[in-house]
Amino acid sequence: MIEKKLGKQLRGAVYWALALIVIFLVCGGALSAYLYKTREEVTRNQVIAEAEEYKKRILKQFESDSRLLRTFADLISLKDNNDLLIEEIDKFKADNQFLTILYYNTNGQGIISNMDEDTISGADLNAVAPEARQSILLALEKGEESVSRLFESNISQTRVFVYTVPVYRNGEIIGALSASDHIEIFSEILSGDTVLGGGGYIHLIGSQGRFLIKSPKMIVKENIPTIFDGAYLSDSEKETVMTALTNQERLFSHFKNNGSSYLFLLEPIGINGWYLLCVNTGEGLAANTHASALVTQITFLGIFILIIVLMLRGYRLLRNYSRDLLGYAYHDQLTGAENLLRFRQRLYEALNNGGGSVAALSIRQFPFINEIFGRERADKLLCLIKEKAECHLTQGEFFCRDTMDSFYLFFRDTEEDLLKKRIEEFMEDVCRNTDISHKDYRLALYCGVASTTEVKDSEEAAEALMTHVQFALSSAKGHHDSSIWFFDSELHKTEELENYIESHMHSALEDGEFKMFLQPKKNLDTNRIEGAEALVRWHTPQGRQIFPDSFIPLFEKNGFCLKLDMYMVEQACKQIRSWTERGIEPIAISVNQSKLLFFEENYISMLKDTLKKYNVPAGLITLEILEGLALENEDILNERITALQAEGFKISLDDFGSGYSSLNTLGKLKINELKLDRDFLLKASGENSQRVRLIMEYIVKLAETLGISTVAEGVETTEDEEFIKSIGCKTGQGYLYSKPISAAEFDEKYMSRD
Ligand code: C2E
Ligand code: MG
Ligand code: MG
């Protein structure tokens, strides 16, 4: 039981701990995911902010260059002289960092001013690079400002691009002014160390993914011309990057290098489909957030491991503690034997596999042994019993020590003789080996045994056995002649009933559980029912009917008869009153009176009070006393009888002939009626019947002479009736006429007015 409970508690604790771990893991996971998400979000926002900043700087560069070109275009629109124009262009060229300045009029004739070279006049438009020509034509034909694609300059031998603006005079396009520059002018802008706080770098790429400006800090060491080269992007990533480039959209993606994944942003600049490719290397500022997330994760992991370790330790401690506790809970500390708790558990289990017997063993006068021989020797005796029990029990048998000198032993055997032999041998072994002996004292053990053979419900059977063995033990304790006492179920039932009777009698009387039954008395001359005897029946609330033989002797002993008999007198009076009130001529009712009540001091006054209460004449009440009463105080009895008769009561001597009746007594008692015990009639038809019949005849005759009427009890057959009639008996009572029946049935059967 305890084992199960502890196991359950332990399991409960483990479940709780597991639940806590799960909560902890979920919280940790959620926190970690949140941190990761936040970190990712922060990084992305930071990357976007940085990219936008660099984009702004590049656009600013473009803007300032084109503004410069526009201002110069306004200036040259005023010069219609070619030489003056060349002069202005050369001057402009010398004042700025542009590589080449080109001016073409609408006729396709142009001036080209190159670094370190002489200015060419009358240059053909077809002679310039197609990228530059396209840009110039846009300005000449549509008046659009533009920036050309990158191309290899055959003048500077470097990759360049051109800005072109239209030149207006009087609102009409008269020419196109272009200036070329190295793409590297943006390198300065992009090569800073401050990108993402040192944790990133930026490339400038073209609309097809070609690197226009590569950052010197790039982590990919391979010299690849476009971002699609090498195995840095997966196929799907390549596809999304391509789509984003085509649509000029911003895109976040990842590439792989040396097994690590890197976040990058593609930010369109808005010129020529160029893009900024901003890479986050995870170092610098980003490394800090990454590190803090890592620290958080490690902390969580550390706490998690700590909890697991503590839990395992706690679990082990708890398990050991439970084991110790079970040891204490199941064992007797003095002898080391198992205790009653464990015995009961084992008994349930054992009875599951069939029947068995339990013996409860005690030591006679154990407190005396303790006192005379000392505690130590008494304890030694208890330990000896434990040792011997271990030796005498066989496979599947067990025992325990409860408290003091109380031991219980379970035997597989149920056969009484065999058990008796085994227990005797065990007891003898203990007595032979103990040092508790003295010339005036011999150690004695006693034992109660209860057995069960058929077991349906082992728990119920075990409980019953434990109760029964206690009864057997108390019987053994009370009988010094026999030291082993077997439980007797019949005896136990009687004891049980007595116990019920004693504990319930008061409430039963209050609750009206005692019922008055009536048995008719027949006048054999008139053949009429002229009287009835009130006989008590106990109807329990459980529907059980208990007969007086089961409780009257007990009530006589415990004094409750005083109350019950007076109650019955009252019931008889009530019945007579009821008949009178219904206009039915009442008949006399005989009520049995116990010895106790008969000699009660205020007996007569109590009777008178009851009679008065129901207004019933005393002549209708016959008081039946037992012949045993006459044996003790004849004179006092006669005094009582005379006093009662003076009040009008009739006195009947019941069960005459059942005990030590003597005709002498009959002569001395002043009774009105004599009831011949049922035993007479029984014997009158058996052996010596003639003698019995003769005695009966004489008794009836003697009674008649003394003026005492006779009633024969136990008339069961017509032969009985014939016989009692023949000897002059005037009244008969017995089953031949009726068994005792309830007052209501009696009423209906014998007292109806018809
Ligand atoms: P009792 O006063 O001698 O009552 C007669 C008993 O014999 C009754 O048993 C009755 O049922 C039984 N009996 C009557 N006719 C026959 C028959 O033809 N054959 C057999 N075999 N038995 C017959 P009951 O009612 O069980 O009462 C037993 C005894 O209990 C009574 O013997 C009486 O001594 C006592 N008793 C009954 N009621 C009371 C009561 O209210 N107070 C006292 N003090 N004792 C009572
Ligand atoms: Mg009687
Ligand atoms: Mg009787």
Side-chain angles (χ1 to χ4, degrees), residues 515 517 519 533-537 547-553 556 561 564-566 568-569 591-595 624 626 654-655 675 677-678 681-682 713-717 720 733-740:
K515 309 285 179 197
F517 271 47
Q519 189 179 32
E533 181 177 0
L535 294 157
V536 68
R537 299 286 180 268
F547 286 89
D549 285 345
S550 305
F551 55 85
I552 293 292
E556 277 174 347
C561 247
L564 180 69
D565 287 353
M566 275 318 295
M568 290 298 281
V569 171
V591 192
N592 293 287
Q593 302 289 277
S594 66
K595 189 168 99 180
E624 286 191 14
L626 290 167
D654 201 359
D655 294 353
K675 290 184 90 172
D677 193 74
R678 197 165 65 89
L681 271 183
L682 281 175
E713 287 185 302
V715 182
E716 292 186 352
T717 59
D720 289 342
Q733 184 184 343
Y735 291 175
L736 178 66
Y737 315 115
S738 168
K739 282 192 171 183

Side-chain angles (χ1 to χ4, degrees), residues 446-479:
Y446 64 100
C447 179
V449 188
S451 304
T452 180
T453 44
E454 231 179 81
V455 179
K456 283 188 191 118
D457 177 335
S458 68
E459 276 196 32
E460 209 175 88
E463 287 313 318
L465 264 190
M466 291 308 282
T467 316
H468 294 166
V469 84
Q470 287 303 337
F471 279 106
L473 184 74
S474 57
S475 301
K477 189 178 185 179
H479 293 79

Side-chain angles (χ1 to χ4, degrees), residues 365-377:
Q365 297 170 312
F366 186 67
F368 166 78
I369 292 175
N370 240 327
E371 204 175 291
I372 305 294
F373 295 93
R375 178 83 187 261
E376 207 176 307
R377 286 175 74 186

Side-chain angles (χ1 to χ4, degrees), residues 493-739:
K493 269 186 204 149
T494 315
E495 283 171 356
E496 234 179 12
L497 182 65
E498 279 184 13
N499 191 26
Y500 177 85
I501 289 169
E502 289 228 77
S503 55
H504 287 78
M505 58 191 190
H506 292 283
S507 60
L509 189 66
E510 275 168 27
D511 300 342
E513 288 176 25
F514 292 106
K515 309 285 179 197
M516 181 182 75
F517 271 47
L518 293 170
Q519 189 179 32
K521 284 160 89 178
K522 189 179 173 187
N523 184 321
L524 299 174
D525 288 339
T526 60
N527 270 342
R528 287 183 56 166
I529 302 300
E530 286 183 348
E533 181 177 0
L535 294 157
V536 68
R537 299 286 180 268
W538 183 350
H539 289 177
T540 69
Q542 294 79 31
R544 187 169 163 197
Q545 174 164 270
I546 310 176
F547 286 89
D549 285 345
S550 305
F551 55 85
I552 293 292
L554 201 71
F555 288 175
E556 277 174 347
K557 261 194 258 168
N558 68 21
F560 190 67
C561 247
L562 291 177
K563 282 189 178 171
L564 180 69
D565 287 353
M566 275 318 295
Y567 173 82
M568 290 298 281
V569 171
E570 187 165 359
Q571 295 305 304
C573 290
K574 238 188 204 172
Q575 190 57 61
I576 293 169
R577 173 98 315 256
S578 158
W579 287 329
T580 314
E581 276 172 9
R582 283 185 282 149
I584 300 165
E585 197 186 329
I587 55 169
I589 298 182
S590 307
V591 192
N592 293 287
Q593 302 289 277
S594 66
K595 189 168 99 180
L596 277 177
L597 180 64
F598 209 75
F599 289 117
E600 183 75 9
E601 218 174 293
N602 55 354
Y603 175 51
I604 297 176
S605 65
M606 281 197 300
L607 283 177
K608 274 166 70 184
D609 288 348
T610 311
L611 256 63
K612 207 171 151 195
K613 187 173 162 192
Y614 294 94
N615 193 17
V616 168
L620 287 176
I621 298 291
T622 302
L623 303 167
E624 286 191 14
I625 54 170
L626 290 167
E627 60 163 358
L629 239 72
L631 292 173
E632 296 165 23
N633 303 302
E634 215 171 78
D635 292 339
I636 305 171
L637 181 64
N638 260 335
E639 245 174 61
R640 256 288 131 103
I641 292 173
T642 314
L644 284 164
Q645 284 167 337
E647 293 296 334
F649 294 103
K650 290 199 178 71
I651 309 298
S652 172
L653 187 66
D654 201 359
D655 294 353
F656 185 78
S658 63
Y660 305 94
S661 353
S662 80
L663 291 176
N664 192 23
T665 323
L666 192 60
K668 284 180 191 164
L669 290 183
K670 298 169 184 171
I671 49 169
N672 305 89
E673 183 186 86
L674 181 74
K675 290 184 90 172
L676 295 168
D677 193 74
R678 197 165 65 89
D679 213 33
F680 273 122
L681 271 183
L682 281 175
K683 287 177 180 160
S685 54
E687 247 180 76
N688 296 324
S689 59
Q690 213 41 50
R691 272 189 74 190
V692 178
R693 282 165 179 252
L694 218 60
I695 293 168
M696 280 181 81
E697 196 178 339
Y698 277 116
I699 293 171
V700 173
K701 285 223 168 81
L702 176 64
E704 205 177 342
T705 319
L706 294 168
I708 302 168
S709 64
T710 47
V711 180
E713 287 185 302
V715 182
E716 292 186 352
T717 59
T718 42
E719 286 80 36
D720 289 342
E721 187 180 59
E722 285 305 313
F723 167 65
I724 57 166
K725 252 179 161 179
S726 71
I727 58 169
C729 186
K730 293 281 182 285
T731 311
Q733 184 184 343
Y735 291 175
L736 178 66
Y737 315 115
S738 168
K739 282 192 171 183

Side-chain angles (χ1 to χ4, degrees), residues 61 104 147 156 199 219 253 255 389 420 605 677 729:
Q61 176 74 40
Y104 277 91
V147 177
S156 62
I219 49 171
S253 190
F255 71 87
K420 200 167 178 219
S605 65
D677 193 74
C729 186

